[in-house]
Amino acid sequence: MSAVQVSKVSDSRERGRRGGGRRRGRVPGTRPWTAAAFLLPALLLLGALVVYPIVFSVYRSLFDASGNGFVGLGNYGAMFSDEGIRTALRNNIIWVVVAPTVSTVLGLIFAVLTERIRWGTAFKLIVFMPMAISMLAAGIIFRLVYDQDPERGVADAVWVGIHDTFSDPAPFPGAKPRPRAALVPSGGGAFTTRSAVRAGSPVNLPLVAVRPDDLRGARPAAAAGPRPGMVTGTVWLDFTRGGGGRPNALDGNEKALAGLTVEAVRGGRVVASATTAADGTYALPSGRADGARLRLPAANFAEAYNGVDWLGPALVTPAIIGSYVWMWAGFAMVLIAAGLAGVPRELLEAARVDGAGEWQVFRRITVPLLAPVLVVVLVTLMINVLKIFDLVYIIAPGSSIRSANVLALQLFQSSFGTDVDEGLGSAIAVFLLLLVLPVMYVNLRRIRKERRR
């Protein structure tokens, strides 16, 4: 090859290098105006639906409710001085800390465990299925689940069942002594005789207001006769169906009240106790009961346990967070399971061969390798809960809505509720955007790091 040819080849390579440097980062054969033409519709849509509302919300937040008076940062000051908005902010902090963490932890547990069971795919499908339900439908479902009536609310039905398993219900809830009888209220729902009792003189204790359902299978009451060395008597329902009968006296087939506790009290201390038999009679040893007063403790008449007020002011926020976790734990499980599928099995097997237990493998190998996926799930759920609205709006009853309030719901109420103040609503919207921006920044940094890898 001649010197001229070598020079031409060298010049051609140099031009290629320079041209390649100029075209770096651009798809060959494209022109800037072509790319701009394709991006323009998306940019216009983004500006109309995102940029303009943000700018207008910032502008509107500087004016009063009418939109005519400039108040500067007054709406922001009013926002932090309002008790309802402070409650919403406190609840949002609880949501951001609790809901994403619990959902991610449950998703991680489900993802790891489903790898070890035979029907893992079916289990994943069941756990993920709530994601197919809208927030509206989920809110209606859990409004019924948390109903305080155990006959309708699943949560209270389970809770009452557990409670009644370990605690016997009162035999005759709501019952009380007949007026002008020997028993008088003694505080706390208990009833005590007016005077001390003596052995050899039966003490009858008539009651009324007994529910018909509590008398199923009850036997007719029997009069207790005197017994040597005993204080005796009868406890019965002093009521004759169809009328008739005498007050404070056993008549015909009046029903016995079996299973009631009768206590002998002296000086404020229980010295003897007995339980009424099937015919309503009881007997107390006179050595202890003679000269004492008889008492029917409140445990005989306590109302049936009706469970927990899940949607009351104290528990409404944790209850709604529970419904959110029910929906989004499946989302976390699916993403974590996808990340878990990419974990090298050789590392896990090598750790087990080296003597590591399952907990050590999980804590020192599985979790660190899944850290990027766990961050994605956690950040996504944090952004999601910052704008939670529909579950709170649907599940919380009117009596607890202020206790369950969150910023997105307060934004709706301030902008479109009965007491409309669009300036305050815009200030809440801007503040909510400022809360979301740090989380979005962390997410963007993570995405850039992933791309550099």
Side-chain angles (χ1 to χ4, degrees):
M1 182 181 292
S2 65
V4 175
Q5 291 174 323
V6 171
S7 177
K8 288 181 178 180
V9 170
S10 177
D11 291 343
S12 175
R13 289 177 178 175
E14 182 65 23
R15 287 195 299 272
R17 282 195 296 268
R18 290 175 182 175
R22 287 194 299 269
R23 290 192 296 270
R24 184 175 298 171
R26 190 162 55 113
V27 178
T30 60
R31 299 177 181 178
W33 65 267
T34 305
F38 278 102
L39 289 175
L40 184 60
L43 292 176
L44 291 175
L45 193 63
L46 186 66
L49 298 181
V50 178
V51 178
Y52 172 74
I54 292 176
V55 174
F56 182 77
S57 295
V58 174
Y59 170 79
R60 185 65 181 84
S61 68
L62 304 177
F63 290 82
D64 60 10
S66 65
N68 299 320
F70 180 80
V71 295
L73 299 179
N75 286 321
Y76 294 92
M79 179 176 65
F80 289 103
S81 62
D82 185 87
E83 180 63 29
I85 300 178
R86 288 205 300 267
T87 300
L89 180 59
R90 183 172 63 250
N91 287 337
N92 263 101
I93 295 174
I94 296 173
W95 271 90
V96 170
V97 172
V98 176
T101 304
V102 175
S103 300
T104 304
V105 170
L106 285 178
L108 176 61
I109 294 173
F110 291 156
V112 172
L113 293 182
T114 49
E115 283 201 334
R116 300 174 175 272
I117 61 177
R118 183 177 180 183
W119 302 101
T121 303
F123 180 81
K124 289 179 181 177
L125 178 63
I126 293 172
V127 175
F128 187 74
M129 194 176 297
M131 283 296 299
I133 303 174
S134 68
M135 287 283 194
L136 173 63
I140 295 173
I141 290 171
F142 275 88
R143 183 66 181 268
L144 295 174
V145 168
Y146 291 133
D147 194 294
Q148 194 174 4
D149 184 0
E151 299 294 328
R152 297 198 306 167
V154 176
D156 264 342
V158 174
W159 193 261
V160 169
I162 295 173
H163 175 272
D164 290 347
T165 301
F166 298 98
S167 177
D168 294 331
F172 300 102
K176 57 185 179 181
R178 175 175 280 282
R180 296 182 297 277
L183 292 168
V184 293
S186 56
F191 302 97
T192 306
T193 56
R194 298 176 185 270
S195 57
V197 298
R198 297 296 178 185
S201 178
V203 182
N204 294 328
L205 306 174
L207 299 180
V208 293
V210 178
R211 299 172 183 174
D213 290 344
D214 296 331
L215 291 173
R216 291 178 181 175
R219 292 170 49 181
R227 295 171 58 182
M230 306 290 283
V231 173
T232 60
T234 303
V235 184
W236 82 101
L237 174 61
D238 193 10
F239 171 79
T240 302
R241 180 173 295 182
R246 296 165 297 164
N248 300 322
L250 282 166
D251 296 301
N253 291 322
E254 289 180 339
K255 299 298 183 180
L257 301 181
L260 279 168
T261 300
V262 182
E263 297 175 340
V265 181
R266 181 184 291 110
R269 188 168 59 91
V270 177
V271 295
S273 65
T275 302
T276 57
D279 59 0
T281 59
Y282 66 90
L284 295 164
S286 64
R288 297 179 181 179
D290 193 33
R293 295 175 184 265
L294 299 187
R295 180 175 67 185
L296 297 180
N300 291 321
F301 315 113
E303 291 292 336
Y305 182 71
N306 286 321
V308 178
D309 187 8
W310 299 103
L311 299 182
L315 294 177
V316 62
T317 295
I320 299 174
I321 291 176
S323 66
Y324 178 89
V325 171
W326 176 77
M327 290 190 67
W328 287 88
F331 167 82
M333 178 197 64
V334 170
L335 292 188
I336 296 172
L340 192 60
V343 173
R345 303 302 175 193
E346 297 81 6
L347 294 177
L348 305 180
E349 294 302 328
R352 293 188 181 102
V353 170
D354 290 340
E358 290 300 325
W359 171 245
Q360 292 176 312
V361 171
F362 173 77
R363 184 166 58 92
R364 297 182 179 274
I365 298 178
T366 304
V367 172
L369 290 176
L370 287 175
V373 179
L374 296 177
V375 171
V376 171
V377 174
L378 198 60
V379 170
T380 303
L381 293 180
M382 289 176 67
I383 296 174
N384 185 268
V385 299
L386 279 173
K387 55 184 182 179
I388 194 71
F389 162 76
D390 25 24
L391 278 180
V392 179
Y393 185 72
I394 296 167
I395 295 178
S399 58
S400 302
I401 193 69
R402 292 184 63 85
S403 300
N405 200 14
V406 290
L407 287 176
L409 179 58
Q410 184 62 45
L411 167 62
F412 170 79
Q413 291 174 336
S414 297
S415 301
F416 309 104
T418 54
D419 189 14
V420 176
D421 186 345
E422 292 184 0
L424 180 60
S426 299
I428 297 173
V430 174
F431 179 68
L432 194 57
L433 175 64
L434 294 177
L435 291 179
V436 173
L437 286 179
V439 183
M440 294 180 62
Y441 174 73
V442 171
N443 205 24
L444 290 175
R445 286 196 60 184
R446 181 197 57 77
I447 293 174
R448 288 175 182 173
K449 288 182 180 179
E450 290 294 327
R451 285 180 177 177
R452 291 194 190 108
R453 292 177 185 175

